[in-house]
Amino acid sequence: MHDLAKRISLTIQTPDDWHLHFRDGELLKETVPATARCFKRAIAMPNLVPPVTTTEMALNYKQRIQNAAPEGSGFDALVTLYLTNETTPAEIEKAKAAGIVASKLYPAGATTNSDAAVKGIRDLYPVFEKMQDVGMLLLIHGEVTENHIDIFDREKAFIDAYLRDIVRDFPSLKVVFEHITTKDAADFVESASVNVAATITPQHLLLNRNDLLVGGVRPHNYCLPILKRNIHQQALQQVVAKGSKKFFLGTDSAPHEKHKKESACGCAGCYSAWSAIELYAQIFEQLDALDKLEGFASHYGPDFYGLPRNDGTITLVKETWKVPELISLADNGTVSKQDDIVPFYAGQMLNWQLSSVN
């Protein structure tokens, strides 16, 4: 940190977002610039309607994202394949040859638009073997979906039922345990081999289930995996505060229209893109770990993916500002006024603000 025009500032190497949802169509005009304002690359989730299940679909989706990126931003969308029980090893090989770096495993019904996903994880072992052979990463939404398993226990149950076996049976396969939420997940990743890592979202660092349930249900804090009790939040805070290279930035930014979040739909997702790096700076400062933010945001992700770290820097300044109450999509001509979005942390104050991108 140093003095910049008499303001405290923090300059870090340009970061990436290793897990988010851009959605598709007109909404890309909102979501892509929001991410490209400070992130150079982003892993785009494939749970569209229909899901991105083939190489051709992934490459077409990448082009749609790139078309929405601000001119001259240099932003690069890293698209992924959506694994189903019909995915073949041949498709994995084709995708890898086309530059697709990862495939995503959703247990069926685990989150938004996941109904077409995997119903028999062990049936995918030939696909995992091909991914291991060609060097494609496996990204996992790690929750079981059986109705008898409590929603707060589903991440741990997935570790015990499936993840331990996957990591044991495919020791050279690089696995990212996405948006982890529990001490169980943090402990598993820390004790696993160097080929296992995890992403952590701002909401799971900043909030716990009290922020979802106390004083009435707060739908804009509802996400999947669901917020857990404070002992799990603290465990995630501890691993990022000590600078473990196995954990890196993945916002899971996921827009839903206000009227859908505030309805019986129960749409899961927090749209954090417009304040993502500031949200992380907020929690790292609270943890007295601002010196660890650059590794978490800019180094450990590309290192694990086997990609070069970004050129350039971004600078944050210590300046209090208020997250908007509402993002009007009609303002940029994307969709109608009724589809406005309440961003994550809406109406709350943040202590850091993006100042420049170089």
Side-chain angles (χ1 to χ4, degrees):
M1 286 185 287
H2 57 277
D3 187 84
L4 180 68
K6 298 184 179 180
R7 292 184 295 177
I8 296 173
S9 68
L10 174 65
T11 297
I12 64 173
Q13 199 162 359
T14 305
D16 304 297
D17 188 342
W18 297 98
H19 179 110
L20 60 67
H21 301 264
F22 284 124
R23 308 304 188 204
D24 205 359
E26 288 293 300
L27 196 54
L28 294 177
K29 296 177 183 178
E30 157 62 28
T31 57
V32 179
T35 291
R37 74 188 181 98
C38 64
F39 295 115
K40 184 62 68 175
R41 292 171 292 206
I43 289 281
M45 292 296 104
N47 57 330
L48 307 182
V49 180
V52 180
T53 56
T54 69
T55 302
E56 288 78 12
M57 293 175 75
L59 295 178
N60 288 337
Y61 183 40
K62 179 182 177 72
Q63 190 58 58
R64 297 196 297 275
I65 298 170
Q66 296 298 154
N67 290 344
E71 186 175 353
S73 65
F75 179 74
D76 186 20
L78 303 175
V79 290
T80 55
L81 282 191
Y82 181 111
L83 296 176
T84 74
N85 290 102
E86 284 70 51
T87 305
T88 65
E91 190 65 45
I92 295 298
E93 193 162 22
K94 181 179 180 182
K96 177 65 177 178
I100 295 170
V101 298
S103 290
K104 181 63 182 278
L105 173 64
Y106 290 104
T111 189
T112 303
N113 300 334
S114 64
D115 290 343
V118 174
K119 296 180 175 65
I121 290 176
R122 288 183 177 83
D123 292 340
L124 279 185
Y125 269 33
V127 171
F128 297 160
E129 184 172 8
K130 177 57 68 173
M131 292 175 67
Q132 179 175 249
D133 291 344
V134 300
M136 179 180 283
L137 280 77
L138 174 62
L139 316 182
I140 296 179
H141 182 123
E143 291 187 289
V144 299
T145 55
E146 289 86 350
N147 288 334
H148 68 282
I149 304 295
D150 189 284
I151 192 170
F152 293 102
D153 298 331
R154 290 181 175 185
E155 188 170 88
K156 181 182 186 303
F158 184 89
I159 296 170
D160 296 338
Y162 300 109
L163 191 54
R164 292 187 194 280
D165 291 347
I166 292 171
V167 169
R168 181 198 65 214
D169 295 341
F170 301 95
S172 298
L173 178 64
K174 281 194 170 183
V175 175
V176 182
F177 198 173
E178 301 277 27
H179 45 47
I180 65 168
T181 66
T182 60
K183 183 178 187 300
D184 308 277
D187 290 346
F188 176 81
V189 171
E190 283 202 288
S191 65
S193 79
V194 295
N195 287 326
V196 180
T199 55
I200 304 181
T201 75
Q203 61 264 28
H204 291 108
L205 289 169
L206 285 162
L207 307 180
N208 59 63
R209 66 187 186 183
N210 281 357
D211 299 291
L212 174 64
L213 299 171
V214 172
V217 176
R218 302 175 192 179
H220 299 288
N221 288 345
Y222 174 52
C223 56
L224 289 173
I226 200 165
L227 296 171
K228 304 300 193 297
R229 65 188 304 159
N230 62 351
I231 60 170
H232 297 294
Q233 177 194 14
Q234 291 162 8
L236 302 186
Q237 291 175 348
Q238 289 167 8
V239 295
V240 300
K242 70 181 182 182
S244 171
K245 295 180 179 180
K246 284 178 154 259
F247 303 89
F248 44 85
L249 188 155
T251 62
D252 197 19
S253 181
H256 288 286
E257 297 91 331
K258 179 177 186 288
H259 73 273
K260 291 184 179 179
K261 289 285 286 182
E262 297 177 1
S263 74
C265 163
C267 291
C270 299
Y271 185 52
S272 59
W274 278 114
S275 56
I277 195 64
E278 294 93 337
L279 288 162
Y280 283 112
Q282 181 103 344
I283 187 62
F284 274 74
E285 182 179 40
Q286 291 173 10
L287 297 172
D288 194 24
L290 272 175
D291 61 317
K292 304 298 194 303
L293 178 61
E294 184 175 44
F296 177 83
S298 311
H299 296 165
Y300 306 152
D303 292 352
F304 188 79
Y305 271 75
L307 297 171
R309 296 178 181 180
N310 293 318
D311 296 327
T313 60
I314 66 167
T315 296
L316 297 159
V317 294
K318 188 74 176 290
E319 185 173 285
T320 301
W321 64 287
K322 185 178 179 181
V323 178
E325 300 278 359
L326 201 67
I327 294 174
S328 177
L329 300 184
D331 289 347
N332 63 18
T334 58
V335 290
S336 68
K337 183 74 175 175
Q338 70 170 356
D339 292 326
D340 289 348
I341 294 172
V342 176
F344 179 63
Y345 238 54
Q348 299 189 61
M349 304 304 294
L350 293 177
N351 297 327
W352 293 88
Q353 188 165 31
L354 184 68
S355 171
S356 63
V357 178
N358 301 302

